[in-house]
Amino acid sequence: MTKKMWMVTMLFLSVIVFLSACGGRGNQPDEKQNQASGESKSAATKTVKTIHGDIKIPVHPQRIVVDMYQNDLLALGIKPVGSVKYYLDNPFSKDLVQGIASIGDRGSVSIEKVLALQPDMILIGSKDASEYEKYSKIAPTIVIPYGTYKNVHEELTAFGELLGKEQEAKTWLAQYDQRLQAARDK
């Protein structure tokens, strides 16, 4: 990984950690209301176009497993149930990833661990057809190859649209731009 890419990644993670610390419970509905609405939300599906054709996914997935893009989900306020150890070991997001199960190391993901998490959706970055086949037997699987998006704006906007978190993406990106400008001004 180039030094510039590493610095951008660290800046991105630092902003995520900062924003999550500034978060809080705010205007969230109570847990009973969440449980009641969660059941009807998870039943609804939508069809998305992917490199593997049209795939039906939950409109509001509740149990997402990722082998990449963990930080995008965290920025949108979505905590995946499983991720690869590589992303879970990042010291900058230590507090954010508590409770996310490890599904193994990059390149040697345990399909048994993924299956045990009972995901309702899986996001992967590999274009390898055999990887897709393994995951798609467990849950609807979306493949978004690394490098699909040119920048953080394209990436987070796309994830916001995919996961029904458009407003969260806009809010996070506006704060990101403000922090980035402040850092440039310094």
Side-chain angles (χ1 to χ4, degrees):
M1 187 179 286
T2 67
K3 187 174 181 178
K4 183 178 180 183
M5 184 70 147
W6 178 252
M7 290 178 68
V8 168
T9 301
M10 288 300 106
L11 177 63
F12 184 70
L13 289 172
S14 298
V15 171
I16 289 173
V17 171
F18 179 79
L19 291 176
S20 67
C22 294
R25 288 194 51 92
N27 294 326
Q28 296 178 354
D30 67 329
E31 199 163 312
K32 288 180 184 177
Q33 187 179 358
N34 273 347
Q35 288 175 346
S37 65
E39 291 172 15
S40 62
K41 282 183 179 179
S42 62
T45 61
K46 67 179 179 180
T47 303
V48 295
K49 293 189 182 306
T50 74
I51 64 172
H52 291 281
D54 291 348
I55 297 177
K56 270 189 176 180
I57 63 168
V59 172
H60 300 283
Q62 303 297 306
R63 302 187 55 79
I64 302 174
V65 169
V66 295
D67 79 348
M68 194 174 213
Y69 305 114
Q70 168 189 288
N71 295 333
D72 293 285
L73 270 60
L74 291 172
L76 295 173
I78 299 170
K79 191 175 223 177
V81 294
S83 183
V84 293
K85 189 175 182 323
Y86 175 82
Y87 295 109
L88 295 173
D89 287 345
N90 185 322
F92 296 104
S93 59
K94 188 173 120 181
D95 294 336
L96 293 172
V97 299
Q98 288 181 350
I100 300 175
S102 172
I103 59 171
D105 291 322
R106 286 188 342 187
S108 62
V109 168
S110 167
I111 293 300
E112 292 80 16
K113 287 182 181 180
V114 174
L115 187 58
L117 292 171
Q118 301 177 342
D120 56 3
M121 189 169 105
I122 300 172
L123 289 170
I124 64 173
S126 173
K127 287 194 280 188
D128 184 348
S130 66
E131 289 288 310
Y132 171 76
E133 288 300 320
K134 287 190 293 189
Y135 288 117
S136 66
K137 289 177 183 174
I138 298 170
T141 302
I142 305 294
V143 176
I144 302 172
Y146 176 77
T148 297
Y149 306 107
K150 289 186 260 182
N151 57 48
V152 69
H153 280 269
E154 277 187 17
E155 190 167 312
L156 209 57
T157 298
F159 278 104
E161 291 168 0
L162 176 68
L163 299 168
K165 297 283 188 171
E166 294 90 343
Q167 188 55 51
E168 289 85 343
K170 287 178 186 175
T171 300
W172 191 92
L173 288 167
Q175 293 171 344
Y176 171 80
D177 289 340
Q178 289 173 350
R179 302 229 187 291
L180 194 59
Q181 188 58 50
R184 286 182 182 143
D185 292 345
K186 276 188 174 183

